[in-house]
Amino acid sequence: MSTNAGQPTSRNLPPRPSRVGPTVTAIVAGAVVLAVTMSLSIDWDDLGEIPGKVLHYMRLMFEAPNWENFPRALFETWRSISMAWIGAILCVLVSIPLGMLAAQGVGPTWLRILLRGVFSVIRAVPEVIIALILLTITGLTPFTGALALGIAGIGTQAKWVYETIESVQDGSPEAVRAAGGNTAQITRWALWPAAAPALMSFALYRFEINIRTSAVLGLVGAGGIGSMLANYTNFREWDTVGMLLIVVVLATMLIDAISGAIRQRITAGPIGTGAAFKTRKHDVVRLR
């Protein structure tokens, strides 16, 4: 009997995978990045001065902030939050039904392809560009910013919707369809109950995104705290700019904390009676 029985031979080993493809891809990607960097004509000597300049302007803004316009800053922040909320509502009301129709197994193929193409086009256009286009129609009003946020968010929000719908299909749509249900009934009784928590969570996340974007839209004249930032930055009133940035950061963090707690509550579901009973029992024992 051969002593090499059971040992792998060179003919049993799989061939070594070729590294030519990944190597060529890495070389091409590196060449593209290098070419793009060289075409920007960057003066690398200025990079060393950037930290000092950043510290200088941060000292101008935050060393002694000017709180004289704090009440107006709160009012403009409230306008930005209202603008973000209205934009989120408009976005969700449009994106949920359209996103469901774009999901696999819900809408017809031709409609699904058309809607997904429209969503891709909307995602390719920044909110600022949409706001600049709307400025010629609605003027310099907060409604322009809300409308821009609502339209710009449809592309991403609808993508989240149809991806969520496709991920929760576990046989319920087929059961409703087998019972004679139409598309509306399948959506109502099979898809919506399973996808509603995730969709509501995404809707709140859209509101959080709009809070940040509304400040940017204010720079182009859409109103809100962004308009104040643009005005005082142009006049180089850095102490007031520092106060505005503090208000924006604190308001954004507060909204994120509240929205995050609500989203966690939605996705976690209601607290079970057993868990609540255990918690109360533990508290009673600890008090004794």
Side-chain angles (χ1 to χ4, degrees), residues 161-186:
V161 170
Y162 69 72
E163 287 182 349
T164 302
I165 294 296
E166 292 174 352
S167 66
V168 301
Q169 294 186 14
D170 54 356
S172 300
E174 287 76 10
V176 177
R177 187 178 290 108
N182 53 27
T183 301
Q185 292 170 335
I186 291 172

Side-chain angles (χ1 to χ4, degrees), residues 192-260:
W192 176 253
L199 295 182
M200 288 188 288
S201 176
F202 283 137
L204 287 173
Y205 185 56
R206 168 55 53 186
F207 173 58
E208 295 178 19
I209 295 175
N210 286 355
I211 290 291
R212 301 175 180 86
T213 310
S214 62
V216 179
L217 293 183
L219 300 177
V220 297
I225 194 68
S227 296
M228 284 190 69
L229 276 170
N231 293 333
Y232 284 101
T233 301
N234 292 333
F235 288 105
R236 301 296 190 268
E237 297 186 18
W238 301 115
D239 51 355
T240 304
V241 172
M243 180 271 296
L244 295 176
L245 290 178
I246 292 174
V247 172
V248 169
V249 171
L250 292 179
T252 303
M253 291 176 62
L254 179 61
I255 294 296
D256 285 352
I258 297 174
S259 179

Side-chain angles (χ1 to χ4, degrees), residues 82-112:
S82 303
M83 186 167 58
W85 179 248
I86 294 174
I89 292 177
L90 293 175
C91 170
V92 170
L93 290 178
V94 175
S95 61
I96 286 182
L98 295 183
M100 286 186 171
L101 290 175
Q104 184 76 25
V106 178
T109 303
W110 65 269
L111 182 59
R112 185 170 66 251

Side-chain angles (χ1 to χ4, degrees), residues 134-157:
L134 293 176
L135 283 175
T136 60
I137 303 173
T138 58
L140 297 173
T141 62
F143 177 70
T144 301
L147 197 59
L149 291 173
I151 295 174
I154 291 175
T156 304
Q157 193 75 20

